[in-house]
Amino acid sequence: MGRKLDPTNKVKRGPGKKARKQKGAEVELAKFITDGKDLFVFCPLLVYESIVVCKKIFFFSNQLLPIERAAKKEKKQKKLMDLGSEDDDDDEEEEEEEEEEQEDDGDEKEEHQDEDMDEDGTLETNTDDVDRFRLPDPEESEKEGMLSLDLKTIHQRIKDNVDVLCNFSAKREEGKARGDYVSLLKKDLCTYYSYNSFLIDKLMELFPLSELVDFLEANEIQRPVTIRTNTLKTRRRDLAQALINRGVNLDPIGKWSKVGLVIYDSSVPVGATPEYLAGHYMLQGASSFLPVMALSPQEGEMVLDMSSAPGGKTTYIAQLMRNTGVIVANDANSERLKSVVGNIHRLGVTNTVVCNYDGRQFPKVMGGFDRVLLDAPCSGTGVIAKDPAVKTSKDEADILRSAHLQKELILSAIDSVNAESPSGGYVVYCTCSITVEENEWVVDYALKKRNVKLVPTGLDFGKEGFTNFKQFRFHPSLKLTRRFYPHSHNMDGFFVAKLKKFSNVVPTVPAEKGEGFSYVSFVPGISTVQQENKSKSGPKKAKIAKMDGEGVKAAGVKKPTVKADVKNEAPKSDKNEGSRFEKKQAKKRKKPTIVKKRLGKNKFQKLKTMLKKHERE
């Protein structure tokens, strides 16, 4: 309202805006009220009997009715006006009213809390009974089989069941075993996330229950799109600026990589930009960076990528080597090699040779590499977000089949490496699977079969590999391997192990027990399987040599009789007839006949009987 213009002319002011609206009973009631506590003495009027009844209800809390508060305010205002408090503004009166209302509200809250103490206690106990998870009865489970449940109820039941299993002793239902809860959880997980029972069993063995749900949820979400900068043609800063100008929202992938970028959204297709076609970057998952970083190839080395398609790791190796040295990019599938060739040309790689061989037979083709990268084919349990068909298509036979193939490949990869390399002798084994049978079990097999040892991968993050799992007991050095999970590291499930070969000698298992290990020197041109067969055939050759001696003796005994019979038929000069070539052919023809007589117990016994008859004669 503002200040008065004439300070000498004092004008009495009325109540504020809120009080001015309240007219009627409070004006009359103010004449009889002296204090709030003496309300019962000064209420003789029948008009206010309803007010007395309300006052009795709020007696224990000293709570005033709104009409009483208005009357008290009016009385206070009159006193202030009599004392000459004309300089107070309406704003101050409104503030006082708000303060009184806040105090009254606080009194009401305290009153309700005091009155409802018992009711709250009973409510808490009731909610505890309701919130406690209870297993369904057999009748309810039969109904669930007949009628499909809502996915929301199944999801809530999974959460409650996991909560009970994490604190089983305190939250379990009496008379129910842990197996009942676990079987119900398996059934719900298979229904809600669409997995088969085999894969759910494998995952429950691999993860704690609290972490299992996070892993399954992470597989329902696509991993972020990541690209790798091709430093042979550009720098990451320049590439990021060019893509930002085209409407791409991106960030560096993390401190662990100097060439990776993660793309959140883009107004243009990332796989069709001019920068992509010019070979400035490669669309590549974040997990595919890790094995190449662990391999850490050096300039001028000879490197083998045993299963190279589609070429992301091969071109990254060439990028780190700065197009020096030699890279052999091999893959067993000739159709997939087309993508390798295309990416090599697009990214400007000039030090790579592409070939199509079975990785298991590669040591027969060539060897002596400084470093080998083996991204083995696997079941794909780490990339379920990319390929949801894995949820229902894999079983125990698929896992064991993949593990057998991986064992053969890792042995051939180790045999392709030269342990005497001055800068290398390393093998990196990686898979996009998280099962133990395809990872730690395979690496532990390689440690037993070849002269290799595990070394640190050089990766700062990731979880350690298993040294024991169920019935498996692995080498303690397997803790140097690294595992990566989608729910922990926001990348595809991956496994990386780095091996160092310290000897080209191949240990082979002896034929007889108690003889110890026999060793065979490695020859790059001959496969290790052939070398092992040669080593195993050693004792047999010794036996054959003895038999050769006996056969020669027998032949020496028979020759005189033959000569005696043939002396009259052919002269000695005829023996020298014929060329050297014919003599060699005759020798070659005689050898298999002697070998045939040597082989088999029956023929050897016949030879003995013939010798005995000859001696008797």
Side-chain angles (χ1 to χ4, degrees):
M1 291 177 60
R3 294 281 181 180
K4 292 179 290 186
L5 297 175
D6 189 3
T8 57
N9 186 11
K10 294 181 181 181
V11 180
K12 292 183 180 182
R13 296 195 176 188
K17 293 180 180 179
K18 292 182 179 179
R20 205 176 295 137
K21 294 177 182 178
Q22 297 176 350
K23 296 179 181 179
E26 66 271 17
V27 179
E28 298 293 331
L29 185 62
K31 299 177 182 178
F32 303 98
I33 293 177
T34 56
D35 193 2
K37 294 180 181 179
D38 300 329
L39 181 64
F40 297 108
V41 181
F42 298 100
C43 287
L45 298 176
L46 295 174
V47 180
Y48 301 108
E49 287 180 359
S50 60
I51 300 172
V52 176
V53 174
C54 295
K55 182 61 183 179
K56 287 180 181 179
I57 295 171
F58 295 95
F59 177 78
F60 296 101
S61 62
N62 293 329
Q63 178 64 37
L64 296 177
L65 292 173
I67 195 170
E68 294 174 349
R69 289 203 302 269
K72 284 183 71 175
K73 286 175 190 176
E74 189 173 356
K75 197 169 184 179
K76 286 181 181 179
Q77 289 169 4
K78 285 182 179 180
K79 288 181 180 179
L80 292 172
M81 290 170 66
D82 293 337
L83 294 172
S85 59
E86 291 88 355
D87 295 335
D88 294 337
D89 295 330
D90 293 337
D91 296 336
E92 294 178 0
E93 294 175 2
E94 292 177 0
E95 289 177 1
E96 290 178 2
E97 292 174 4
E98 290 176 357
E99 289 177 0
E100 290 177 0
E101 289 177 0
Q102 289 176 0
E103 291 177 359
D104 296 337
D105 294 338
D107 294 337
E108 289 178 1
K109 289 178 182 178
E110 291 176 359
E111 175 190 357
H112 290 299
Q113 288 176 359
D114 294 336
E115 290 179 356
D116 298 339
M117 280 291 290
D118 298 332
E119 295 179 1
D120 290 340
T122 56
L123 284 172
E124 286 176 0
T125 56
N126 291 333
T127 52
D128 291 340
D129 294 337
V130 172
D131 291 341
R132 180 170 290 180
F133 177 68
R134 185 177 60 83
L135 287 172
D137 298 332
E139 297 178 356
E140 295 178 358
S141 59
E142 288 179 3
K143 290 180 181 178
E144 290 178 8
M146 298 292 292
L147 301 172
S148 59
L149 281 176
D150 185 14
L151 290 178
K152 289 183 179 179
T153 59
I154 294 176
H155 186 57
Q156 185 61 38
R157 190 163 69 181
I158 289 171
K159 288 183 178 179
D160 296 338
N161 201 346
V162 169
D163 186 34
V164 172
L165 288 170
C166 291
N167 192 6
F168 188 70
S169 59
K171 296 185 178 182
R172 74 185 186 94
E173 188 179 352
E174 294 182 1
K176 299 292 184 181
R178 188 180 183 88
D180 299 334
Y181 287 89
V182 172
S183 60
L184 178 64
L185 180 62
K186 285 181 184 178
K187 180 183 174 184
D188 289 342
L189 290 175
C190 293
T191 305
Y192 188 77
Y193 294 104
S194 302
Y195 284 78
N196 59 10
S197 58
F198 164 75
L199 202 54
I200 286 291
D201 289 336
K202 283 288 181 187
L203 296 176
M204 290 183 77
E205 293 169 357
L206 202 61
F207 297 106
L209 292 176
S210 57
E211 194 176 355
L212 173 63
V213 178
D214 296 336
F215 174 78
L216 295 174
E217 287 288 343
N219 286 335
E220 302 300 315
I221 304 169
Q222 292 292 329
R223 303 275 78 76
V225 178
T226 54
I227 61 174
R228 174 180 56 82
T229 308
N230 182 19
T231 54
L232 295 174
K233 291 191 173 184
T234 186
R235 295 182 299 175
R236 184 169 71 168
R237 180 172 52 188
D238 299 337
L239 174 64
Q241 188 60 48
L243 292 177
I244 289 169
N245 293 338
R246 295 190 183 279
V248 180
N249 184 13
L250 51 81
D251 271 331
I253 198 170
K255 295 181 180 179
W256 55 272
S257 175
K258 296 181 180 180
V259 294
L261 291 169
V262 57
I263 294 176
Y264 301 111
D265 57 358
S266 174
S267 59
V268 295
V270 182
T273 60
E275 287 79 13
Y276 177 82
L277 299 175
H280 290 182
Y281 65 89
M282 174 81 179
L283 281 167
Q284 190 172 357
S287 57
S288 298
F289 292 20
L290 305 174
V292 180
M293 293 171 64
L295 187 68
S296 64
Q298 305 299 316
E299 295 182 14
E301 288 185 337
M302 190 174 179
V303 181
L304 169 64
D305 189 358
M306 192 165 277
S307 54
S308 59
K313 299 181 186 67
T314 303
T315 53
Y316 193 11
I317 293 170
Q319 172 180 320
L320 293 176
M321 294 173 66
R322 298 182 182 178
N323 264 343
T324 61
V326 178
I327 301 171
V328 177
N330 178 67
D331 200 273
N333 190 349
S334 59
E335 291 297 323
R336 298 189 70 196
L337 282 174
K338 295 177 181 178
S339 61
V340 178
V341 175
N343 286 320
I344 285 172
H345 285 299
R346 183 174 60 83
L347 296 171
V349 176
T350 58
N351 64 341
T352 302
V353 178
V354 181
C355 58
N356 177 25
Y357 289 101
D358 185 358
R360 294 171 290 184
Q361 306 298 326
F362 202 84
K364 296 179 182 179
V365 180
M366 63 187 303
F369 291 96
D370 297 313
R371 297 170 197 262
V372 175
L373 173 62
L374 174 59
D375 186 4
C378 61
S379 60
T381 52
V383 289
I384 297 175
K386 290 182 181 177
D387 185 14
V390 178
K391 293 180 179 181
T392 55
S393 62
K394 301 299 177 182
D395 57 1
E396 184 72 25
D398 294 327
I399 302 294
L400 295 178
R401 195 182 300 113
S402 298
H404 180 71
L405 175 61
Q406 288 157 359
K407 287 177 182 178
E408 293 179 330
L409 288 171
I410 195 171
L411 291 185
S412 64
I414 293 169
D415 294 337
S416 300
V417 172
N418 182 16
E420 298 176 357
S421 171
S423 61
Y426 294 100
V427 177
V428 171
Y429 173 80
C430 61
T431 64
C432 55
S433 175
I434 59 171
T435 57
V436 176
E437 290 84 356
E438 297 178 83
N439 297 325
E440 285 87 354
W441 193 22
V442 175
V443 175
D444 188 68
Y445 174 82
L447 293 175
K448 294 175 182 176
K449 292 292 183 180
R450 295 292 183 269
N451 289 322
V452 293
K453 62 180 180 180
L454 281 166
V455 294
T457 57
L459 302 173
D460 298 333
F461 63 104
K463 295 187 178 181
E464 293 181 355
F466 291 99
T467 55
N468 52 19
F469 179 77
K470 291 178 64 180
Q471 73 272 19
F472 300 109
R473 295 295 177 270
F474 304 123
H475 196 273
S477 63
L478 274 163
K479 64 182 181 182
L480 295 174
T481 62
R482 287 291 175 266
R483 283 175 159 268
F484 302 91
Y485 298 120
H487 64 284
S488 301
H489 308 99
N490 198 19
M491 61 178 66
D492 294 328
F494 223 73
F495 174 82
V496 180
K498 188 174 183 180
L499 299 162
K500 167 72 174 174
K501 187 176 181 180
F502 56 84
S503 175
N504 286 329
V505 176
V506 178
T508 57
V509 180
E512 297 180 2
K513 293 182 180 178
E515 294 181 359
F517 284 98
S518 61
Y519 294 92
V520 179
S521 61
F522 172 69
V523 182
I526 303 174
S527 67
T528 56
V529 178
Q530 291 177 345
Q531 294 178 33
E532 289 175 4
N533 292 336
K534 287 180 181 178
S535 64
K536 290 178 182 178
S537 62
K540 292 182 180 178
K541 286 183 179 178
K543 290 180 181 178
I544 291 168
K546 290 179 183 177
M547 292 167 66
D548 285 339
E550 292 175 358
V552 170
K553 288 178 184 178
V557 175
K558 285 182 180 180
K559 278 179 183 177
T561 58
V562 173
K563 285 180 181 178
D565 297 334
V566 180
K567 272 182 184 178
N568 300 325
E569 295 179 3
K572 292 182 180 179
S573 60
D574 294 335
K575 294 180 183 178
N576 298 327
E577 291 181 359
S579 63
R580 293 180 182 178
F581 180 75
E582 290 176 356
K583 290 180 180 178
K584 288 181 181 179
Q585 283 184 339
K587 288 180 181 178
K588 288 180 181 178
R589 287 172 188 171
K590 288 178 182 178
K591 283 181 181 178
T593 58
I594 295 168
V595 172
K596 284 181 181 179
K597 288 180 181 178
R598 278 192 240 125
L599 294 175
K601 291 182 180 179
N602 295 331
K603 291 183 179 181
F604 186 69
Q605 287 177 358
K606 286 180 182 180
L607 184 62
K608 278 186 176 182
T609 54
M610 289 172 65
L611 289 170
K612 287 178 182 179
K613 286 180 182 180
H614 187 270
E615 288 174 358
R616 288 174 186 174
E617 292 176 358

